[in-house]
Each structure stands twice: as C-alpha cells, then as structure tokens.
Amino acid sequence: MSWQTYVDDHLMCDIDGQGQHLSAAAIVGHDGSVWAQSSTFPQFKAPEIAGILKDFEEPGHLAPTGLYLGGNKYMVIQGEPGVVIRGKKGSGGITIKKTGQALVFGVYEEPVTPGQCNMIVERLGDYLIDQGL
C-alpha cells in the first residue's frame, strides 16, 4: 500500500459516517521528508519539524513559544510526553503522533472534535509502530 493511501483512506477518512473529515493530514519522516500528505496540508519549513522532534525528545520545549506548522501557531496542550503532541488554534487544532521513523499529523477544524482527531491520528500511528515503522 502506498503512503498516500494511508493518508487518503485512514487520516482523511469520513469520521463516524457524518461526512466530517480532518482538514489536513500528512506522514512526514523524521528527516522532514514528506511520505504523503493531503492537498490541504500546509507547506512547512524544516525548522518547524525540527522543533516538533525536539519537543518529543524534551517534552515542554514548544510550550513557551507554541508549535508552528506552515507558519500557523498552535498553543501546545496536554499530550503524552514523547509520544503525542496536541495543539489548539481557535476552534481547531493539531495532533502529532511519533512513530519509529515518522510523524503522523492530523489537523482539524470544527465540527471535528479534538478527540476524533486524536483517535484517527493515534490509531494510524499505533498501527505503524506495530509494523516497525
């Protein structure tokens, strides 16, 4: 299965049959290379990915400055240190799950809830970890 299929079928999927979707999603390697992304995923800069990876290594690193992706600033909220980073921006937010080789991103806006985004992103991340990725 291609990486794009994971993004299209598992991250950008219809949520609970409600016709709701994440607004953007991607799988990005730890080196910043894009494995696959939705057409709506923001054009990010390498320092943004480096900062996210540093926060996985040193939880709390992004809290004072915020998490940036594609120039958008998210307030870092509760996550699982070293495993999941969650951010909030207005009525939407972001969930990032770290696997052995990649970062799984999900970006949402209302009416999608933080919990729905967390479930989708973390489920795929857990699956990739189980596959050794």
Side-chain angles (χ1 to χ4, degrees), residues 5-128:
T5 305
Y6 282 104
V7 170
D8 295 343
D9 295 353
H10 299 282
L11 294 174
M12 297 300 289
C13 57
D14 186 352
I15 300 170
D16 299 334
Q18 301 292 317
Q20 300 169 4
H21 305 269
L22 296 179
S23 51
I27 302 171
V28 177
H30 289 180
D31 62 358
S33 63
V34 175
W35 294 10
Q37 65 184 358
S38 66
S39 62
T40 52
F41 195 73
Q43 184 66 46
F44 60 84
K45 298 171 184 66
E48 294 173 332
I49 298 300
I52 291 166
L53 283 167
K54 186 168 177 69
D55 195 81
F56 278 113
E57 294 164 18
E58 299 173 25
H61 168 75
L62 291 175
T65 58
L67 182 164
Y68 284 87
L69 185 70
N72 294 312
K73 180 180 180 179
Y74 295 87
M75 181 178 66
V76 178
I77 55 175
Q78 137 286 326
E80 293 173 54
V83 181
V84 177
I85 297 172
R86 297 184 181 104
K88 187 94 176 105
K89 178 178 180 252
S91 61
I94 188 167
T95 302
I96 308 166
K97 170 84 176 188
K98 183 180 184 209
T99 73
Q101 298 175 25
L103 300 172
V104 180
F105 288 85
V107 180
Y108 67 92
E109 295 292 338
E110 283 185 336
V112 174
T113 67
Q116 289 171 317
C117 182
N118 295 343
M119 183 188 69
I120 290 167
V121 170
E122 293 175 38
R123 187 172 54 199
L124 179 61
D126 289 341
Y127 171 78
L128 296 177

